[in-house]
């Protein structure tokens, strides 16, 4: 793994100082008062190559301007019952903090169905959570733990992962590309829990294709991962699907109430997130405009060739099991240009 030197940072700083005012303004939103740390993230993402990191950052800033990302936290997904459907089918939430103060982001990979809305709503929702994390959660964590905190950890629940989810791969590739290109190095570690055999088989094939820095971040834990995760966080910060000895449903099981289920719209994180977005919308009087224009469209980035290769490998591995079980799901089952609101 490349070591980012002060000389690299200085070169990058000199290059970024020449960008025009619109790019500089959105860069301020991106770095949240820590420009050097932001530059380091982009340098790490391009293995210390200053020119490539500069191009990556400029492309990111242009993407933010073109798609009005700075305003996305004032664009609620409405009505509320429709947003609840998005949340119930795109399982992601925040369960607490590690002992070092990093937010714990939980993702229900296996039980996310992405079947209640078009792809544009799911992309909008994902970016809103990213922006809320970077603009609200991380600054609050920095203040609470009295140290600069700019990254999170993610716990990925594979409960329910099955062959038929092959049709979701295109959407997940788009989300992954958005994160890789515009939110690089925001996650320290990915913890995989409740992994079924199909994941284990695919992981053996996919792991060698990942970049070294990504491979080092991924830890596949035994069972629900409870014992290992308790080494880095308190019990109260464990995602609800990790609070047991065996695997189980991360969507339908309840640790105590829906308020304890970090995927639920009734969880404190999602209540605060949705309330914040609605308050920002009311301040800008944008709610009526959003209802008229439906989803908030974001331009899909061209996937990285390495990401495409990984997606093709996953598709191939899933297809082996599909053929054995007579499952006919194909990657192109998901229409990415669909914009019909499903209710």
């Amino acid at each position: 793994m490349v070591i980012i030197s002060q000389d690299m940072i200085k070169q990058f700083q000199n290059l970024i100082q020449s960008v025009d005012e619109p790019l500089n303004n959105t860069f301020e939103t991106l770095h949240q008062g820590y420009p050097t740390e932001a530059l380091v993230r982009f340098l790490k993402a391009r293995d210390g190559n200053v020119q490539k990191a500069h191009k990556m950052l400029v492309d990111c800033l242009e993407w933010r301007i073109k798609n009005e990302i700075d305003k996305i936290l004032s664009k609620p997904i409405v009505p509320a019952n429709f947003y609840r459907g998005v949340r119930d089918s795109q399982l992601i939430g925040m369960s607490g903090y590690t002992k070092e103060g990093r937010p714990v982001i939980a993702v229900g990979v296996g039980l996310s169905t992405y079947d209640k809305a078009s792809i544009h709503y799911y992309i909008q929702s994902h970016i809103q959570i990213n922006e809320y994390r970077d603009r609200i959660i991380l600054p609050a964590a920095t203040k609470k733990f009295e140290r600069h905190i700019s990254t999170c950890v993610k716990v990925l629940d594979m409960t329910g992962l099955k062959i038929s989810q092959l049709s979701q791969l295109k959407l997940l590739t788009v989300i992954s590309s958005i994160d890789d290109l515009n939110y690089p190095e925001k996650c320290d570690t990915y913890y995989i829990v409740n992994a079924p055999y199909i994941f284990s088989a695919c992981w053996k094939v996919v792991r060698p294709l990942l970049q070294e820095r990504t491979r080092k971040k991924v830890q596949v834990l035994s069972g629900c991962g409870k014992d290992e995760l308790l080494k880095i966080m308190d019990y109260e910060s464990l995602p609800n699907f990790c609070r047991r000895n065996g695997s189980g449903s991360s969507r339908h099981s309840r640790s105590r109430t829906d308020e304890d289920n970090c995927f639920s719209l009734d969880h404190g994180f999602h209540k605060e997130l949705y309330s914040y977005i609605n308050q920002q919308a009311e301040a800008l009087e944008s709610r009526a405009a959003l209802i008229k224009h439906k989803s908030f469209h974001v331009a899909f980035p061209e996937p990285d060739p390495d990401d495409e290769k990984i997606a093709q490998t996953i598709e191939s591995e899933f297809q082996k099991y599909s053929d054995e079980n007579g499952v006919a799901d194909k990657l192109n089952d998901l229409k990415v240009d669909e914009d019909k609101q499903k209710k």
Side-chain angles (χ1 to χ4, degrees), residues 22-248:
L23 293 181
N24 186 62
N25 289 341
T26 196
F27 181 51
E28 290 181 0
T29 302
L30 182 150
H31 68 60
Q32 290 292 304
Y34 295 91
T36 301
E37 287 78 359
L39 298 181
V40 169
R41 289 195 295 106
F42 281 83
L43 281 167
K44 287 181 177 179
R46 289 297 177 262
D47 296 321
N49 187 307
V50 177
Q51 295 297 328
K52 290 183 178 180
H54 176 253
K55 182 182 185 305
M56 182 186 185
L57 177 54
V58 171
D59 288 347
C60 168
L61 300 179
E62 291 176 344
W63 172 81
R64 293 182 67 89
I65 293 172
K66 178 181 178 182
N67 295 282
E68 298 185 328
I69 300 301
D70 289 356
K71 299 179 181 179
I72 200 169
L73 288 180
S74 63
K75 307 289 185 180
I77 297 174
V78 292
N81 64 338
F82 176 63
Y83 179 64
R84 184 176 290 276
V86 172
R87 287 273 58 81
D88 286 343
S89 55
Q90 183 185 32
L91 303 180
I92 184 170
M94 176 181 159
S95 61
Y97 299 88
T98 68
K99 294 175 182 178
E100 293 183 343
R102 292 182 177 85
V104 179
I105 305 297
V107 184
V109 177
L111 288 172
S112 291
T113 57
Y114 301 100
D115 60 350
K116 302 299 183 183
S118 76
I119 186 174
H120 302 290
Y121 287 103
Y122 291 115
I123 297 297
Q124 176 182 351
S125 168
H126 179 81
I127 295 175
Q128 285 178 330
I129 290 177
N130 279 357
E131 291 292 314
Y132 188 74
R133 174 198 65 197
D134 293 351
R135 299 191 216 174
I136 306 299
I137 296 297
L138 290 173
T142 294
K143 182 177 181 180
K144 177 180 179 180
F145 292 91
E146 299 182 333
R147 56 182 292 268
H148 181 225
I149 297 172
S150 60
T151 58
C152 66
V153 301
K154 290 189 176 182
V155 184
L156 311 182
D157 181 24
M158 297 296 169
T159 297
L161 188 68
K162 52 187 179 295
I163 299 167
S164 59
Q165 289 172 296
L166 182 63
S167 61
Q168 301 172 9
L169 194 54
K170 186 174 291 185
L171 168 58
L172 297 178
T173 301
V174 171
I175 289 176
S176 177
S177 296
I178 287 174
D179 284 353
D180 289 345
L181 296 174
N182 303 291
Y183 302 93
E185 301 296 319
K186 294 299 294 186
C187 182
D188 283 323
T189 310
Y190 299 88
Y191 296 100
I192 310 294
V193 302
N194 296 325
Y197 175 75
I198 189 172
F199 170 82
S200 301
C202 287
W203 177 242
K204 291 179 181 179
V205 179
V206 170
R207 188 177 185 277
L209 302 178
L210 300 175
Q211 295 183 5
E212 181 184 3
R213 68 173 183 277
T214 302
R215 281 201 308 271
K216 289 183 176 180
K217 290 182 179 183
V218 179
Q219 295 189 29
V220 182
L221 305 183
S222 175
C224 68
K226 177 180 176 181
D227 293 339
E228 288 299 313
L229 292 174
L230 283 175
K231 295 177 182 178
I232 65 164
M233 67 184 74
D234 295 331
Y235 181 85
E236 290 72 19
S237 291
L238 283 175
N240 55 291
F241 52 81
C242 294
R243 298 182 180 185
R244 52 182 176 272
N245 294 322
S247 62

